[in-house]
Amino acid sequence: MDLATLLGMIGASGVIIGAIALGGDVMLFINVPSLLIVIGGTAFAVMFRATMGQFIGSFKVAMGAFFSKNVAPQTLIEEAVELANVARKEGILALEGREISHPFLETGISMCIDGHPPEVVQKVLSKDINLTIQRQEAGYSVFKATGDVAPAMGMIGTLIGLVQMLANMDDPKAIGPAMAVALLTTLYGAVIANAFAIPIAEKLKLRSIEEKLNKSLILESISGIQEGVNPRVLEQMLMTYLPESQRQSGDKDG
């Protein structure tokens, strides 16, 4: 569970709900026509932009914002150097049956053990990275689109409410409900976009960047292991994937 995502969402929701509760009756901020315009309109407009598979799959992808499976690059470097040491001393076949933590690293090592040439291993794994990134982009683009559409739907609802209000100026009882639609649709659109959709899209994008970094690190690790690069040299090469502060820490530890 990603604590920052959970706390951020709960905190943003709590501040908004708390402000509403402190200001008076919470039920004043619940309006069914406004909800239909913003939630229904946003859902269908986003569905129009994407395929049905991408739209439905985006809810599963959203779980990636809360549950991070990415391994720390430092951990991958340590494991890669250990594998490189074994392969250099005992040969690449000595890695067969060895427990490997990351599935992508395990796939690459298995291909090396099976005797595939370096260019084939690089081609297959590079394609895997590119396709993974494409799938992730399709997932978080749905939430980005939601962040774009929800405020627009809120504005459409506002215009609908204003038209209804102006058309019934002679009936004081109709002005209140029409004004509620006009104001609440804007509120709903802004909350959906800025408290939920855009933060989730940005967090999923960050997860994608982290995964691409890890897989690129693994790709270079496998290339070094297969080519018989000195483990110490390989470690120095892989340290470039770390921030400068962690890189210096890793050098000192070494």
Side-chain angles (χ1 to χ4, degrees):
M1 174 69 73
D2 183 72
L3 190 59
T5 303
L6 184 63
L7 288 177
M9 181 166 287
I10 293 175
S13 303
V15 167
I16 294 169
I17 294 172
I20 291 173
L22 290 172
D25 187 4
V26 175
M27 296 306 294
L28 292 174
F29 290 83
I30 298 176
N31 184 275
V32 175
S34 297
L35 288 170
L36 288 175
I37 292 169
V38 177
I39 296 178
T42 298
F44 285 114
V46 172
M47 195 182 299
F48 192 13
R49 290 189 179 193
T51 65
M52 185 60 72
Q54 289 173 342
F55 181 78
I56 295 174
S58 66
F59 296 100
K60 182 179 179 180
V61 172
M63 292 297 100
F66 296 92
F67 301 97
S68 175
K69 297 180 181 179
N70 287 334
V71 182
Q74 181 66 51
T75 303
L76 292 174
I77 292 172
E78 292 171 0
E79 185 171 14
V81 171
E82 183 182 349
L83 293 173
N85 272 312
V86 173
R88 187 174 174 82
K89 293 176 181 177
E90 305 175 29
I92 195 75
L93 293 178
L95 300 178
E96 188 171 7
R98 192 178 182 88
E99 185 176 348
I100 298 174
S101 62
H102 199 290
F104 190 67
L105 179 57
E106 184 177 16
T107 299
I109 294 297
S110 296
M111 292 184 69
C112 294
I113 293 171
D114 291 340
H116 295 288
E119 58 271 17
V120 172
V121 176
Q122 291 287 308
K123 182 177 180 180
V124 171
L125 296 182
S126 295
K127 186 174 182 180
D128 181 283
I129 292 173
N130 292 333
L131 291 176
T132 299
I133 297 303
Q134 287 179 17
R135 288 192 292 269
Q136 291 171 341
E137 286 177 349
Y140 66 69
S141 66
V142 170
F143 288 94
K144 186 177 183 300
T146 301
D148 294 337
V149 172
M153 283 296 167
M155 184 57 66
I156 290 172
T158 297
L159 295 175
I160 291 173
L162 289 175
V163 169
Q164 292 174 341
M165 183 182 71
L166 294 173
N168 294 281
M169 291 296 288
D170 56 341
D171 183 3
K173 292 183 179 180
I175 295 176
M179 180 60 77
V181 172
L183 296 177
L184 288 175
T185 48
T186 299
L187 174 64
Y188 293 157
V191 170
I192 289 172
N194 296 288
F196 297 100
I198 294 175
I200 288 176
E202 291 299 321
K203 182 54 71 77
L204 291 176
K205 186 176 181 180
L206 177 62
R207 292 278 178 264
S208 181
I209 291 170
E210 290 174 345
E211 184 171 356
K212 184 178 181 180
L213 176 71
N214 280 356
K215 287 192 171 183
S216 297
L217 186 156
I218 289 172
L219 188 62
E220 189 163 349
S221 301
I222 292 168
S223 176
I225 292 171
Q226 196 169 20
E227 293 172 7
V229 174
N230 185 291
R232 182 59 181 167
V233 174
L234 178 62
E235 183 179 20
Q236 294 300 318
M237 291 166 54
L238 298 180
M239 282 292 176
T240 60
Y241 286 88
L242 299 177
E244 187 66 31
S245 58
Q246 294 182 29
R247 206 181 304 171
Q248 290 170 353
S249 174
D251 290 343
K252 290 176 183 177
D253 292 343

